[in-house]
Amino acid sequence: MRRPALLPLLCFVLALLASGCTQPAPREEVSLDENNAVFSFALQELQEKQEFAGAVTMVVGPNRIIALEAFGLADIASGRPMRKDSVFWIASMTKPITAMGVLMLVEEGKVGLDEPVEKYLPSFKGQKVATPTGPVPAPRPVTVRDLLTHTSGLSAASLTAANQPVDTIPLAAMVDHSGRTPLISAPGAKWAYSNTGINALGRIIEVVSGQPYADFVQKRFFDPLDMNSTSFWPDDTLQASLATPYRKDKATGKLIAAGNSRFSNPLQNRARTALPAGGLFSTANDLAQLYQMILRGGELDGHRFLRPETLKLMTTNQLGEMPKVSFAEGMRMGLGFHVVGTPVGVTESLSPGSFGHGGAYGTQAWIDPVRRQAYVLLIQRTDLANSDGSEIRREFQKTAVEAFGR
């Protein structure tokens, strides 16, 4: 449904961030039976170069899925084709969901962004900072905002050995260890990507809500959004549609199956820890629900998830001109979302203020608030030098904007 032609342009552009312009238009149901081959054609050369085995690509608007394609192979050995309902490990694309969960509790007055983490997690009391001459007292406590912006200084030290599954330790024990380990830098001093920090946010959700983290996000997000194929523990049906992860053989340049050493087996075992920093498996259609909610200012099908002003805060630069933020040039940091400050290089096709997150195996989802579209790329490539800076992502976003974003 088109908005009235006389609606002020400013109101149109700010519809994501402002609550008073207009009510969101009803969502449209569209046929997705046929591929339009836009992305399969644009990414064909990279696919032929064995940069990825197969992909699902999607462009989402506030009221409908605009484009959805599946091409290539989900599994090379069996010849299983990629499908629109193929399942992917979305890895760190879990992080913004965790962050939005925390901001729900902020809206409810149960968590304060600038409160010390020790208020919720006692192991964070009396933290020290590691120095060449030994640990010294931290100049101030780590805050919830520090965790959300990756400026906590938390160490990446883990209770599990290198290259061993990280889902075998309960979240409470994992985060308790993080709190007791000396910081690698003073809180707020610099940006350093932190899985331990996001896992701590998941533990705060548990302590404040009185629910296991996985139950909280299920009830607050997945159930009301009808994200029925999104899980920390994909069952046999979902695993039958799971895209195989691949890496390149250095000698032959061919893609070879890589597995996923981060998780213990079987994947459907609910004794595995649901990791707030990167434990989710999902599909394009499920993610479309999530990103439509965000594009509509925190509402979908009459259910209010977050206030528009909360999403604006989350997607606004929190760190000023702090250097070396995120994984690409010109980036800034919001609360759980990475934000495009200056579009350049891999982000050159996006508008300033675009925000999103990537995943370890090359999955990407970026929301352009000017075009009011989300661009979603789902692949499973384990050894990309920088999954946020890949040529696959750059070409995908360029094609998406040229074909659908004008």
Side-chain angles (χ1 to χ4, degrees):
M1 181 181 296
R2 294 182 61 87
R3 295 175 180 270
L6 296 179
L7 187 67
L9 178 61
L10 179 61
C11 185
F12 179 81
V13 172
L14 297 180
L16 168 65
L17 307 177
S19 58
C21 292
T22 183
Q23 292 297 317
R27 292 202 296 154
E28 301 174 16
E29 297 295 329
V30 295
S31 174
L32 298 171
D33 292 336
E34 297 183 4
N35 280 330
N36 54 26
V38 170
F39 294 108
S40 59
F41 178 78
L43 298 175
Q44 180 178 356
E45 183 177 350
L46 289 168
Q47 185 181 3
E48 290 175 350
K49 289 181 178 179
Q50 302 273 296
E51 292 301 312
F52 64 97
V56 175
T57 54
M58 181 169 64
V59 179
V60 181
N63 305 317
R64 67 188 181 97
I65 296 175
I66 297 168
L68 177 62
E69 290 184 42
F71 51 94
L73 297 175
D75 184 78
I76 295 172
S78 66
R80 175 164 54 93
M82 192 68 78
R83 295 167 47 93
K84 294 174 183 177
D85 62 354
S86 288
V87 177
F88 296 79
W89 178 47
I90 62 170
S92 288
M93 286 166 61
T94 308
K95 287 179 170 71
I97 297 174
T98 301
M100 287 189 289
V102 171
L103 268 292
M104 284 180 170
L105 297 174
V106 171
E107 284 190 348
E108 294 167 9
K110 297 175 181 177
V111 172
L113 286 176
D114 296 310
E115 293 286 353
V117 174
E118 64 187 40
K119 176 179 177 179
Y120 313 101
L121 307 176
S123 67
F124 279 65
K125 289 182 179 178
Q127 285 183 306
K128 298 184 183 298
V129 180
T131 74
T133 57
V136 299
R140 66 165 176 82
V142 173
T143 66
V144 174
R145 191 186 300 269
D146 292 330
L147 297 179
L148 286 161
T149 57
H150 297 276
T151 57
S152 66
L154 284 176
S155 167
S158 171
L159 287 169
T160 56
N163 300 317
Q164 294 299 309
V166 296
D167 60 357
T168 58
I169 306 295
L171 182 61
M174 194 182 298
V175 174
D176 182 79
H177 176 74
S178 297
R180 299 182 190 282
T181 301
L183 303 175
I184 59 173
S185 61
K190 68 176 184 178
W191 188 90
Y193 192 64
S194 177
N195 287 317
T196 52
I198 304 299
N199 285 334
L201 289 170
R203 180 58 182 155
I204 290 174
I205 287 174
E206 292 189 331
V207 170
V208 173
S209 71
Q211 302 175 65
Y213 163 77
D215 288 354
F216 180 92
V217 294
Q218 185 72 42
K219 293 174 182 176
R220 294 293 190 105
F221 293 104
F222 307 151
D223 286 345
L225 287 170
D226 292 326
M227 294 175 67
N228 299 317
S229 296
T230 298
S231 179
F232 295 98
W233 308 286
D235 60 20
D236 289 339
T237 299
L238 291 178
Q239 288 186 56
S241 299
L242 188 61
T244 300
Y246 290 97
R247 64 178 177 85
K248 265 197 175 185
D249 184 284
K250 293 181 179 179
T252 66
K254 300 286 188 181
L255 290 173
I256 57 176
N260 190 336
S261 64
R262 293 168 174 83
F263 298 132
S264 55
N265 288 307
L267 288 178
Q268 64 267 37
N269 177 14
R270 288 179 174 261
R272 294 175 46 246
T273 298
L275 297 171
L280 281 173
F281 295 78
S282 192
T283 64
N285 275 310
D286 274 17
L287 293 171
Q289 298 287 96
L290 179 70
Y291 299 134
Q292 281 183 321
M293 178 271 286
I294 296 173
L295 283 164
R296 292 164 67 93
E299 172 276 336
L300 192 69
D301 295 335
H303 185 108
R304 170 62 59 187
F305 294 83
L306 289 164
R307 300 169 189 156
E309 57 267 29
T310 298
L311 283 172
K312 177 175 174 59
L313 176 67
M314 294 188 72
T315 58
T316 298
N317 176 23
Q318 300 290 309
L319 301 179
E321 297 300 315
M322 182 178 286
K324 298 181 180 179
V325 169
S326 191
F327 299 107
E329 187 179 354
M331 295 298 296
R332 297 290 181 259
M333 192 72 216
L335 298 175
F337 286 101
H338 298 245
V339 180
V340 177
T342 303
V344 62
V346 73
T347 65
E348 63 187 2
S349 299
L350 301 176
S351 302
S354 295
F355 57 92
H357 215 291
Y361 286 3
T363 55
Q364 297 286 329
W366 293 85
I367 296 172
D368 189 318
V370 175
R371 297 183 175 93
R372 303 187 72 222
Q373 292 180 342
Y375 308 119
V376 182
L377 168 68
L378 300 176
I379 60 173
Q380 296 283 265
R381 173 74 190 278
T382 70
D383 60 340
L384 292 170
N386 176 1
S387 59
D388 276 10
S390 74
E391 181 64 14
I392 308 167
R393 175 193 172 186
R394 189 196 68 79
E395 189 62 33
F396 162 69
Q397 289 176 170
K398 176 175 178 287
T399 302
V401 170
E402 289 178 350
F404 304 103
R406 301 299 184 186

